[in-house]
C-alpha cells in the first residue's frame, strides 16, 4: 500500500414523581382509569421538569427557545440526544425531530452499504436528506458525501457548510477539503481545534506546502504531532521525519525512532521500510527482516534488496521463524 504523505455524548434523571408514603391503614393504591393515569403522568413529568431545571443555579433552561436548543444539539449522537431528552418534557419535545433524524440516518447507512437490506443509493440519499431537514449535522455530512460522489459538488458544499456553521467538526473538515484554498484553512483550523485528527493532518499539509496559507514549517510540525498523538498514522510518519531532520521540531533521534516504529506498527509501508533499515544498521537482523518483509508486502519494493541480504545470513530455522512472525502480524489500531 502506497502512502503519499511527506510533501515532494450527560446523565439526566428520568421523569420522576414524588413518592407518597403508604400508611398502615391503607397499604393499597386505588386503581386508576387509563385517562387518570395519563393525567397523573403528565402532571408528574411537568413537576419533575420544572424542579430539575430550575434548580440548576436558578436558570430556567426549560424556557430555552426550541430553535436555539436544536442548533446546540444539531451534532449530537443518538446517546447524547437520549440523555438530553431526559432533562425535561420541554427538551424531550424539542429534540424529537433530531431523534427522528437519527433513525433516518441509521436507515440511510443501511441502504448505502447494504447492511441488512438491499443496497439502494437513492433510498440512502433520501434518508440522509430527510435527516438533514430535521436538523442533524451528521445526516448533512453523509448527504454531502453522497452528492460529492455523484459529482454534485455545489450541493455537497452547501450541506457541508450548513453542518460546519452548526459546529460539526466533520462538516468543517469536509468543507475545508472541498475548497482547498484560503477559506479551507479557516475551516480546517476550526475542525482541528475541535480535535478532528484528519483535519489536523490536512492543516499541517497546507502549512507545510504553503497551500492556501503562508508556509510555516514549525506550525505544520506542531499539527503533525497533534494528529499523530490522536492516532493518525500518516501524521506519525511525518512527525518522525520532523524529529529526524530537526525541521519544525527539535532534532531528536529517540523521538524520530519512536514515531517511525509506531507508524510501522500501524501498517504504514514507508515507515516499515525506514524502521527496518534502521534496525539493520543497528545489527537487529531478525527484527529488521520482519519489518522489511512487511514493507515488501505493503508494496515497498525498495525493501527487497536489503531483506534478501539479511535472509542469506540467517539459518533456515531463523528464516522460518521470521516469516511466521510476519504471517501472524496484525496492525495496531489507528486512523488512516
Amino acid at each position: 500500500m502506497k502512502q503519499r504523505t511527506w510533501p515532494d455524548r450527560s446523565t439526566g434523571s428520568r421523569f420522576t414523581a414524588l413518592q407518597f408514603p403508604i400508611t398502615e391503614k391503607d397499604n393499597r393504591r386505588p386503581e386508576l382509569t387509563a385517562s387518570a393515569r395519563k393525567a397523573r403522568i403528565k402532571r408528574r413529568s411537568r413537576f419533575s421538569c420544572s424542579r430539575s431545571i430550575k434548580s440548576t443555579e436558578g436558570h430556567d433552561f426549560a424556557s430555552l427557545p426550541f430553535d436555539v436548543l436544536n442548533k446546540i444539539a444539531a451534532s449530537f449522537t443518538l446517546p447524547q440526544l437520549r440523555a438530553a431528552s431526559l432533562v425535561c418534557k420541554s427538551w424531550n419535545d424539542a429534540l424529537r425531530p433530531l431523534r427522528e433524524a437519527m433513525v433516518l440516518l441509521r436507515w440511510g447507512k443501511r441502504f448505502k452499504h447494504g447492511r441488512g437490506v438491499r443496497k439502494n443509493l437513492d433510498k440512502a440519499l433520501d434518508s440522509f436528506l430527510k435527516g438533514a431537514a430535521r436538523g442533524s449535522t451528521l445526516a448533512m455530512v453523509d448527504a454531502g458525501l453522497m452528492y460529492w460522489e455523484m459529482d454534485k459538488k455545489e450541493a455537497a458544499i452547501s450541506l457541508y457548510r450548513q453542518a460546519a456553521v452548526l459546529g460539526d467538526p466533520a462538516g468543517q473538515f469536509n468543507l475545508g477539503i472541498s475548497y482547498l484554498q484560503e477559506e479551507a484553512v479557516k475551516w480546517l483550523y476550526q475542525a482541528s481545534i475541535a480535535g478532528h485528527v484528519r483535519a489536523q493532518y490536512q492543516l499541517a499539509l497546507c502549512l507545510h506546502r504553503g497551500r492556501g496559507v503562508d508556509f510555516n514549517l514549525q506550525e505544520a510540525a506542531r499539527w503533525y504531532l497533534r494528529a499523530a498523538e490522536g492516532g493518525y498514522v500518516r501524521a506519525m510518519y511525518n512527525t518522525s521525519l520532523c524529529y529526524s531532520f530537526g525541521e519544525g521540531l527539535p532534532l531528536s533521534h529517540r523521538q524520530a525512532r519512536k514515531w517511525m516504529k509506531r507508524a510501522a506498527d500501524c501498517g504504514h509501508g514507508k515507515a516499515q521500510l525506514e524502521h527496518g533499515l534502521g534496525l539493520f544498521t543497528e545489527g537487529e537482523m531478525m527484527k529488521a527482516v520482519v519489518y522489511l518483509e512487511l514493507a515488501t508486502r505493503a508494496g515497498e519494493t525498495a525493501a527487497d534488496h536489503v531483506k534478501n541480504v539479511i535472509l542469506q545470513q540467517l539459518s533456515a530455522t531463523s528464516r522460518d521463524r521470521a516469516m511466521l512472525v510476519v504471517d501472524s502480524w496484525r496492525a495496531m489500531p489507528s486512523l488512516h
Side-chain angles (χ1 to χ4, degrees):
M1 176 178 65
K2 298 280 186 182
Q3 293 94 352
R4 182 179 179 182
T5 55
W6 192 257
D8 210 53
R9 280 188 188 194
S10 106
T11 59
S13 59
R14 291 183 177 272
F15 300 154
T16 57
L18 291 175
Q19 299 297 317
F20 295 98
I22 301 175
T23 64
E24 293 183 0
K25 281 187 178 181
D26 182 12
N27 59 359
R28 295 173 300 173
R29 297 182 186 272
E31 291 293 328
L32 298 176
T33 64
S35 59
R37 284 198 298 271
K38 185 174 181 180
R40 175 175 287 184
I41 292 172
K42 185 175 181 179
R43 289 196 301 272
R44 289 176 179 175
S45 299
R46 183 163 56 246
F47 177 81
S48 175
C49 172
S50 176
R51 183 178 179 182
S52 62
I53 295 298
K54 292 184 178 180
S55 64
T56 309
E57 300 181 359
H59 296 296
D60 186 6
F61 291 114
S63 64
L64 192 67
F66 280 15
D67 60 332
V68 174
L69 178 59
N70 277 281
K71 286 180 180 178
I72 294 172
S75 60
F76 280 13
T77 61
L78 183 56
Q80 292 171 325
L81 282 172
R82 285 173 173 167
S85 297
L86 294 175
V87 171
C88 70
K89 187 176 185 300
S90 176
W91 284 25
N92 182 62
D93 293 341
L95 295 174
R96 183 175 291 110
L98 286 173
R99 294 196 303 275
E100 293 173 353
M102 290 299 100
V103 176
L104 290 162
L105 180 67
R106 185 166 65 248
W107 277 105
K109 290 182 181 295
R110 288 179 178 177
F111 282 124
K112 183 177 180 180
H113 302 290
R115 297 172 183 165
V117 295
R118 181 174 296 179
K119 187 173 181 178
N120 190 317
L121 297 183
D122 290 334
K123 287 186 177 181
L125 179 59
D126 182 63
S127 296
F128 291 146
L129 289 173
K130 287 179 179 178
R134 284 165 172 78
S136 170
T137 63
L138 305 181
M140 294 173 194
V141 171
D142 277 343
L145 284 170
M146 291 200 67
Y147 273 135
W148 190 270
E149 292 165 357
M150 296 162 62
D151 203 31
K152 296 182 178 181
K153 303 296 175 65
E154 290 186 6
I157 290 174
S158 176
L159 285 161
Y160 291 155
R161 180 180 288 279
Q162 291 179 52
V165 170
L166 288 169
D168 188 286
Q172 294 164 349
F173 169 71
N174 287 2
L175 184 63
I177 293 300
S178 300
Y179 285 136
L180 286 179
Q181 51 189 10
E182 288 188 8
E183 193 170 357
V185 176
K186 165 190 168 183
W187 292 109
L188 288 173
Y189 183 76
Q190 290 195 28
S192 297
I193 291 297
H196 195 289
V197 294
R198 288 187 63 195
Q200 292 169 349
Y201 175 72
Q202 292 293 337
L203 177 60
L205 287 177
C206 288
L207 290 161
H208 199 163
R209 296 169 175 168
R211 188 176 63 189
V213 67
D214 291 337
F215 171 80
N216 190 328
L217 187 53
Q218 284 190 324
E219 191 71 3
R222 184 172 75 87
W223 285 112
Y224 280 141
L225 181 58
R226 286 277 296 275
E229 291 171 340
Y232 199 68
V233 64
R234 297 182 183 182
M236 296 177 193
Y237 178 76
N238 284 8
T239 297
S240 174
L241 294 180
C242 287
Y243 276 122
S244 181
F245 298 111
E247 295 185 353
L249 292 171
L251 182 66
S252 172
H253 295 300
R254 184 177 66 84
Q255 288 293 326
R257 179 189 173 94
K258 164 191 166 183
W259 286 110
M260 190 64 75
K261 182 180 185 303
R262 191 169 296 183
D265 289 339
C266 289
H268 192 286
K270 287 185 178 179
Q272 290 168 340
L273 170 61
E274 296 289 343
H275 188 58
L277 292 175
L279 290 167
F280 172 71
T281 60
E282 295 170 5
E284 297 279 355
M285 299 303 178
M286 280 291 292
K287 291 181 180 179
V289 78
V290 167
Y291 280 99
L292 291 171
E293 175 63 20
L294 288 171
T296 298
R297 296 185 183 188
E300 297 296 331
T301 56
D304 280 336
H305 176 70
V306 178
K307 179 194 68 176
N308 291 332
V309 169
I310 300 174
L311 287 173
Q312 291 174 8
Q313 300 175 15
L314 298 177
S315 65
T317 301
S318 295
R319 289 197 297 269
D320 290 342
R321 190 164 66 249
M323 292 304 106
L324 183 62
V325 171
V326 175
D327 291 337
S328 61
W329 179 85
R330 295 295 181 271
M332 291 176 60
S334 64
L335 299 174
H336 293 266

